[in-house]
Amino acid sequence: MPKCQYCLTPFSSGRHVRSHQQQATKCRKSQDRALALALKKSSQRAKRGEKLASQEPKPTPMVIDPVPDNEFDMEGESIDPSDYVVEDEADVEAIPPRIVEIPDVDAPRPRKTWKQAYPASRNAGKGLKKAPTTFEQIRDEQILTGAQIWGPFRDEEEWELAKWLIKNVGHTQADTLLKLPIITNRARPSFANKQQFLDSIDALPLSVNWQCTELTVTGDEPDLAKDPTGQTMRTETNELWYRDPVECVAELLGNPLFRDVMKYAPERHFADVQGKVEVINEMWTGSWWWNLQNLLPEGVTIAPVIISSDKTHLSNFQGDKSAWPVYLTIGNIGKDIRRAASSHATVLLGYLPIPKFDCFTKNTRSLAKYRLFHACMDIIMTPLIDAGNNGKMIVCADGFVRDVRPIFAAYVADYPEQCLVACCMENRCPQCPVDPKARGDHVCVPRRDVNETLFFLRRKQEGENDTAFKEQGLRAVSKPFWRNLPYSNIFTAFTPDLLHQLHKGVFKDHLVKWCTEIVGKDELDSLFRDIPSHPGLRHFTNGISHVSQWTGTEHKEMEKVFLALVASGKVDDRVVKAVRALTDFIHYASLQSHTSHTLLALRKALDDFHTFKSVFIELQARSPAHFNIPKVHSLDHYEDLIRLFGSADGFNTESPERLHIDYAKNAYRATNHKDYIPQMTTWLRRQEAIDYFSAYLLWTQEQDPVSTNSPPSDPQEELEELVITSTAYSLAKQPPPATRKVLAKHIISPEGHGAARFLPALSAFLLSHGCAFVPHDFDVFSLWKQIVFKLPKIPEVGARHSRNVVRAIGVRAESIGAGRRTAAVAAQLDFALVKTGEANPHTDGTALQGLRLAHVRAIFRLPPDYPLKCDEPLAYIEWFTALHKPDSVSGYHHVTKSSRRKGGIDGPYAEIIPVHRIARNAMLVVKPGINLCIFSTHILMRIRSVWSK
């Protein structure tokens, strides 16, 4: 039981001890004398020239009393956990959080995983013998022919000129450029005109050659111009441009640049040594590869073939021109490389024809397009049949020859194209035969059976009208392209489509629409406009109702804050729970690495949505009164597909849409817009030749690094970088010139940083380090605008979210100078989670353990004339109340500002801390009244909590 150190009277808590010391006259005088004595001793030590905390400042540990689980608050007050409003109690000074120990809770810690390799006895992925790779063959051929490393070009400079011309200049402009006197008289390249230049490009090593096949289709419209009797039907001829998929697979497998990101055998990963918590991310960690490997002979290497296709517009002004590219990649390459357009790990497989089909009547035109699509894809995919059954010897990136079986595994497409591939109507599920009226019932239906579907398709071709054919919603395509592909199941090949099914579909087209009906368009716009500024978060200045065209990125930005905005309004709790469930599902489905726990959380989120979805019909936000929506039903397949093929981010349709820029739109712009597909293939062949030769040159440099004459860098110069970096944060070595001389008065002012208790907090900080110096409002400080933190690596969200910024930028007043007017800019003062190490029964054991929310208003360093020398930057923060139990409806923590309005103090609880105690930024959304909702913009904290369960 704590006692007063002056009169030794026992009390029930430390708060009562402090209250007694302020109210009892004798004890208060004794406390004042002790404080005066401490100040006198500090002053004497300063005069004797003793060093006063020249090392890095460290907070002084404080002894605290045990706190009951149901009574926990920053100030030590007894409060009801359900009440988030700070009571107006009397204290003389602002008391900082009770620091027991400050562990580095956000320090990067290695995530342990246990790998189970495929049984070695079956020799899966084993190399049979060594052989030269394609790049080694090119190098050997150059040596034998006496050619330079630059191939048909004279030297590196000429190669760089050729690369720039082919990438940036059209044919006509290239010819004009090469005839300029400065080029012909000074540069003097080996190619004097456009034709010689293109001949040099064509002499480079080529990738897979293009082929063209003509397909003539006979319609059901009579050709009266040729045959007035009407006996002859009209025809239409279409061109199919494509490449051999087996050769494309061989090129990808044999590219030495992919050597370090290539896998040749399946694996199983676990988060525990007992193998109970499975980890699923890359394709080789899914069950599809492992199960298929069991069916194939020993020593076979599987190359999972991933196909994607998507029709795209090329021009809206010149006949509405379109192209239909088909792309190919393989699951042996890591998904981060596969989805990067610059890596060229996804290749263009072909261009499907886009017929007008005027030779068909309107009633039969749709079915004819289905049949032509499958006829074209059948031609393209036919080489996979023999290679999948019998194998093909391929030299792989590591220089080993393997018996490779390229097996069609996955098809990446949007919903209409999935129905086209599956030969089903567009009001049906392409994966299962669920009744169209039961798609919103969240029922488990077995997948379509390939053999059964082919049976009904053949029966339809023979003129039989089976009831099952109509019940399953099939289209009369007699020869679907996937019918003979070995070891393939088209109905498990459709991967999750995050872009169209989740971000654009379920979220934007449905959930936002329903909530707008409930909340109101103007109110929802107002909520979006009132979102506080936050680094990495888009601010919708004009709301969302006036945006005419959305992108996937904008949908994701909306998803970060949508639940908080709906929860902050006056809506039915069931609406909030339904929104929470669906946004949770979207976030979990978007993870880049899954565990058994995250997949269970994914399933629970979907179950919760279906539990509360009826509220949208009850409130007349959803009309008609059902949820038979194809994209809502597609969510039922996500868990199984992730377990089969790995995380959904490896198959997102955003990647093919990005490839359209390079392989369709840019290629079309390089043509004369007439008969453009052959011209596009020629242009692309030359572009690929440049990219392929660039990769070869990069490989040669890695094999034999070219020495340079540049002197080695001075280690001392490397230390003089303009960035201060620690294991947790980095910031500019010097504050920007505009904020190097800021008066404390400006920091305190609402027109500056609004740091109301800056001077008292600074005095307390100096005193805690044995310095009795008294700061004044005319002191000058240097301020940083922001600090960047490196978050720990979390595989579930990837490295792109590891950069975390905390800003402390004051108000910028309107200014007029040099003929320019600069508008006033509001302050950008971010919230952050700060390490305290204090015990909290509501956060202990979670990712928020030992953290508390604070408002960062200034990042500064002490003036050089202060007696206390501190090398580390400091931050002025204002505390919020401790985190209580999350709200049962929204799942958010509710907090309020921590302040005192008695005892001569009227202001927030404030403190000066070293910046290494800041863990990361945090986002707050204002709730009506005085409550606030805290949440993490990238759900990093939530994911870490799921992992730790």
Side-chain angles (χ1 to χ4, degrees):
M1 183 174 293
K3 297 180 180 180
C4 174
Q5 65 190 73
Y6 306 112
C7 66
L8 302 180
T9 303
F11 292 92
S12 60
S13 70
R15 183 181 68 85
H16 293 99
V17 172
R18 294 189 293 275
S19 178
H20 158 75
Q21 291 174 349
Q22 299 303 319
Q23 296 175 12
T25 304
K26 291 184 179 180
C27 294
R28 185 174 66 250
K29 290 182 179 180
S30 298
Q31 187 181 44
D32 292 342
R33 286 195 298 271
L35 180 59
L37 181 61
L39 291 174
K40 182 178 179 180
K41 290 181 178 180
S42 297
S43 178
Q44 291 173 350
R45 287 197 301 269
K47 290 179 180 180
R48 290 196 300 265
E50 294 181 7
K51 288 185 177 180
L52 300 177
S54 58
Q55 294 82 14
E56 179 181 346
K58 297 181 180 179
T60 305
M62 301 176 64
V63 180
I64 64 171
D65 304 313
V67 182
D69 288 349
N70 61 343
E71 296 182 349
F72 184 84
D73 187 49
M74 180 176 126
E75 299 79 26
E77 304 168 52
S78 175
I79 67 169
D80 184 357
S82 63
D83 185 4
Y84 302 111
V85 181
V86 179
E87 297 180 4
D88 195 6
E89 295 277 342
D91 265 353
V92 171
E93 277 297 333
I95 303 173
R98 301 177 296 266
I99 301 173
V100 181
E101 182 184 2
I102 304 181
D104 197 0
V105 295
D106 252 359
R109 297 185 298 272
R111 176 79 61 80
K112 283 189 177 181
T113 55
W114 284 262
K115 182 179 73 173
Q116 178 186 358
Y118 192 77
S121 59
R122 292 185 54 82
N123 296 322
K126 183 179 180 181
L128 304 180
K129 61 180 180 179
K130 291 288 289 185
T133 63
T134 53
F135 286 178
E136 290 173 337
Q137 293 175 14
I138 295 174
R139 184 185 60 185
D140 294 343
E141 183 178 350
Q142 286 182 335
I143 294 174
L144 291 175
T145 58
Q148 297 292 327
I149 188 177
W150 309 108
F153 303 102
R154 187 169 52 211
D155 50 29
E156 182 178 6
E157 293 180 351
E158 188 172 289
W159 155 250
E160 292 295 337
L161 174 62
K163 185 167 64 172
W164 180 83
L165 286 173
I166 202 68
K167 290 290 185 182
N168 300 282
V169 181
H171 289 180
T172 303
Q173 293 83 353
D175 202 34
T176 303
L177 177 67
L178 292 174
K179 293 179 180 179
L180 290 176
I182 193 172
I183 300 296
T184 57
N185 297 332
R186 297 187 186 181
R188 296 180 181 178
S190 58
F191 39 86
N193 51 51
K194 178 192 71 173
Q195 190 56 50
Q196 293 179 8
F197 164 65
L198 294 178
D199 290 342
S200 298
I201 298 296
D202 293 338
L204 291 172
L206 299 178
S207 56
V208 184
N209 290 321
W210 284 89
Q211 305 176 48
C212 180
T213 298
E214 286 190 353
L215 295 95
T216 301
V217 180
T218 302
D220 56 0
E221 285 274 13
D223 191 349
L224 300 178
K226 293 183 177 180
D227 185 1
T229 64
Q231 299 297 318
T232 303
M233 298 294 132
R234 297 173 61 183
T235 61
E236 181 175 337
T237 301
N238 297 278
E239 288 184 348
L240 169 64
W241 288 84
Y242 65 99
R243 297 194 280 190
D244 189 324
V246 177
E247 293 184 13
C248 292
V249 170
E251 180 184 357
L252 292 173
L253 281 173
N255 192 330
L257 294 184
F258 298 145
R259 175 174 180 169
D260 297 333
V261 294
M262 190 88 68
K263 290 286 185 178
Y264 304 102
E267 299 173 352
R268 283 177 176 168
H269 292 186
F270 299 95
D272 59 334
V273 68
Q274 295 82 13
K276 296 181 179 179
V277 181
E278 191 173 4
V279 178
I280 302 171
N281 38 54
E282 298 287 356
M283 192 169 187
W284 52 80
T285 65
S287 59
W288 178 89
W289 196 337
W290 188 284
N291 295 337
L292 179 58
Q293 196 76 55
N294 294 334
L295 302 178
L296 295 176
E298 295 182 8
V300 165
T301 299
I302 296 176
V305 176
I306 304 170
I307 301 294
S308 57
S309 63
D310 183 34
K311 191 185 300 183
T312 183
H313 285 286
L314 300 176
S315 172
N316 292 323
F317 305 103
Q318 297 181 348
D320 192 22
K321 304 293 179 63
S322 300
W324 199 341
V326 181
Y327 303 107
L328 177 146
T329 186
I330 53 177
N332 308 80
I333 302 174
K335 56 188 175 67
D336 288 342
I337 303 299
R338 286 205 315 264
R339 65 188 182 190
S342 59
S343 68
H344 304 290
T346 299
V347 299
L348 180 63
L349 184 59
Y351 286 117
L352 299 178
I354 304 178
K356 295 182 179 180
F357 271 3
D358 296 333
C359 57
F360 287 91
T361 61
K362 291 183 179 180
N363 294 333
T364 59
R365 191 171 298 164
S366 176
L367 179 59
K369 290 181 179 179
Y370 265 68
R371 291 174 174 172
L372 179 63
F373 169 83
H374 282 272
C376 293
M377 290 297 297
D378 191 29
I379 295 173
I380 295 175
M381 303 289 280
T382 294
L384 290 176
I385 299 175
D386 180 67
N389 285 319
N390 304 315
K392 181 179 177 64
M393 295 297 174
I394 296 177
V395 181
C396 298
D398 59 355
F400 282 95
V401 177
R402 289 180 172 85
D403 180 9
V404 177
R405 301 286 181 95
I407 305 295
F408 170 66
Y411 203 109
V412 180
D414 56 16
Y415 175 73
E417 205 140 329
Q418 288 182 3
C419 295
L420 175 64
V421 173
C423 304
C424 70
M425 298 181 180
E426 291 190 4
N427 66 338
R428 301 301 182 108
C429 174
Q431 301 180 58
C432 69
V434 63
D435 188 277
K437 297 181 180 180
R439 287 175 296 181
D441 295 344
H442 192 38
V443 294
C444 181
V445 179
R447 291 187 182 274
R448 296 179 185 267
D449 183 82
V450 173
N451 293 326
E452 181 184 60
T453 302
L454 290 175
F455 172 76
F456 288 127
L457 291 177
R458 284 195 299 269
R459 295 263 299 171
K460 184 66 176 178
Q461 181 67 17
E462 295 168 358
E464 301 292 338
N465 292 317
D466 297 307
T467 304
F469 183 90
K470 185 176 181 180
E471 289 178 348
Q472 295 193 18
L474 298 176
R475 290 272 196 170
V477 179
S478 59
K479 296 180 180 181
F481 75 87
W482 37 263
R483 67 191 184 280
N484 294 322
L485 294 177
Y487 307 104
S488 299
N489 185 341
I490 190 61
F491 301 120
T492 61
F494 298 118
T495 56
D497 182 2
L498 299 178
L499 177 62
H500 297 97
Q501 291 174 348
L502 293 186
H503 302 311
K504 288 185 177 181
V506 173
F507 176 73
K508 179 61 176 64
D509 294 341
H510 299 296
L511 185 64
V512 173
K513 182 179 179 181
W514 301 337
C515 292
T516 302
E517 292 292 327
I518 296 172
V519 178
K521 182 177 68 174
D522 294 338
E523 177 64 19
L524 194 59
D525 281 343
S526 176
L527 291 172
F528 270 101
R529 286 194 298 267
D530 294 341
I531 294 175
S533 173
H534 184 77
L537 180 68
R538 171 167 176 178
H539 189 257
F540 295 90
T541 308
N542 299 318
I544 61 173
S545 62
H546 302 290
V547 180
S548 58
Q549 185 161 353
W550 292 91
T551 65
T553 301
E554 289 165 329
H555 296 144
K556 297 172 190 176
E557 293 296 317
M558 290 173 60
E559 291 162 2
K560 295 176 184 178
V561 299
F562 193 72
L563 172 58
L565 299 185
V566 173
S568 65
K570 297 179 180 179
V571 298
D572 192 304
D573 285 351
R574 292 174 299 167
V575 174
V576 179
K577 290 180 179 179
V579 172
R580 175 185 175 184
L582 203 49
T583 52
D584 278 358
F585 182 92
I586 293 173
H587 286 138
Y588 283 121
S590 302
L591 296 184
Q592 299 182 25
S593 181
H594 280 276
T595 69
S596 304
H597 296 317
T598 60
L599 288 175
L600 288 175
L602 178 81
R603 183 193 309 169
K604 183 181 183 303
L606 186 58
D607 293 342
D608 289 345
F609 167 71
H610 284 281
T611 300
F612 299 109
K613 67 184 178 184
S614 60
V615 68
F616 296 114
I617 295 178
E618 292 179 20
L619 299 179
Q620 299 182 348
R622 162 66 182 163
S623 179
H626 64 76
F627 291 91
N628 300 326
I629 305 170
K631 293 175 183 178
V632 172
H633 169 73
S634 67
L635 308 188
D636 288 323
H637 298 297
Y638 269 52
E639 182 184 355
D640 291 340
L641 292 173
I642 291 172
R643 293 184 184 276
L644 276 175
F645 298 115
S647 56
D649 67 297
F651 306 94
N652 197 356
T653 51
E654 287 183 352
S655 296
E657 293 206 357
R658 167 60 184 85
L659 293 173
H660 287 341
I661 298 175
D662 297 328
Y663 293 120
K665 300 182 185 299
N666 290 341
Y668 175 75
R669 295 189 188 104
T671 69
N672 62 6
H673 304 167
K674 298 177 182 179
D675 193 20
Y676 51 87
I677 294 295
Q679 299 176 57
M680 290 169 63
T681 59
T682 301
W683 184 84
L684 284 169
R685 176 173 55 81
R686 289 168 176 158
Q687 296 289 321
E688 289 178 341
I690 289 290
D691 295 331
Y692 192 72
F693 198 66
S694 297
Y696 164 72
L697 294 176
L698 179 62
W699 173 80
T700 59
Q701 294 173 6
E702 293 176 351
Q703 301 302 308
D704 185 18
V706 179
S707 61
T708 62
N709 297 324
S710 58
S713 59
D714 185 358
Q716 185 63 30
E717 292 182 1
E718 295 179 0
L719 298 177
E720 296 297 326
E721 293 287 339
L722 296 180
V723 173
I724 298 174
T725 304
S726 74
T727 56
Y729 67 88
S730 62
L731 75 166
K733 185 177 181 180
Q734 296 293 337
T739 59
R740 289 180 187 174
K741 296 180 180 180
V742 181
L743 291 174
K745 183 178 181 180
H746 180 75
I747 299 175
I748 298 170
S749 170
E751 288 74 28
H753 290 253
R757 295 193 56 80
F758 180 72
L759 293 181
L762 185 56
S763 298
F765 175 81
L766 296 173
L767 184 60
S768 68
H769 290 79
C771 179
F773 186 83
V774 179
H776 298 86
D777 60 359
F778 52 77
D779 292 343
V780 177
F781 294 84
S782 295
L783 275 62
W784 282 273
K785 290 186 176 181
Q786 68 178 28
I787 182 170
V788 180
F789 293 89
K790 179 70 174 178
L791 298 181
K793 182 180 179 181
I794 302 177
E796 288 81 357
V797 296
R800 57 183 173 175
H801 296 315
S802 62
R803 187 177 185 270
N804 193 263
V805 179
V806 175
R807 302 169 302 175
I809 306 174
V811 177
R812 188 178 69 185
E814 180 181 355
S815 63
I816 300 176
R820 296 179 59 187
R821 176 181 174 273
T822 303
V825 179
Q828 296 175 331
L829 307 172
D830 292 333
F831 305 95
L833 292 169
V834 180
K835 307 168 191 176
T836 66
E838 60 184 352
N840 184 338
H842 302 297
T843 59
D844 288 349
T846 72
L848 294 172
Q849 178 175 343
L851 299 175
R852 175 174 291 197
L853 186 71
H855 198 176
V856 180
R857 289 189 172 272
I859 302 171
F860 66 98
R861 63 183 174 195
L862 294 178
D865 56 344
Y866 272 37
L868 178 62
K869 306 303 177 185
C870 181
D871 294 332
E872 183 178 7
L874 304 174
Y876 168 85
I877 62 172
E878 295 175 354
W879 291 106
F880 283 75
T881 54
L883 298 175
H884 297 288
K885 186 177 181 180
D887 181 72
S888 60
V889 177
S890 66
Y892 290 140
H893 290 280
H894 291 240
V895 294
T896 57
K897 290 183 178 180
S898 185
S899 60
R900 280 293 177 268
R901 294 181 178 85
K902 290 184 179 180
I905 297 176
D906 186 7
Y909 269 168
E911 188 181 359
I912 302 293
I913 63 169
V915 294
H916 76 263
R917 282 183 55 189
I918 301 176
R920 61 157 295 153
N921 64 26
M923 178 70 188
L924 279 82
V925 174
V926 179
K927 194 177 174 74
I930 59 175
N931 287 340
L932 297 167
C933 298
I934 174 178
F935 68 101
S936 174
T937 58
H938 298 301
I939 65 167
L940 295 181
M941 297 296 177
R942 173 176 290 176
I943 299 308
R944 291 178 59 191
S945 299
V946 170
W947 180 276
S948 61
K949 288 180 180 178

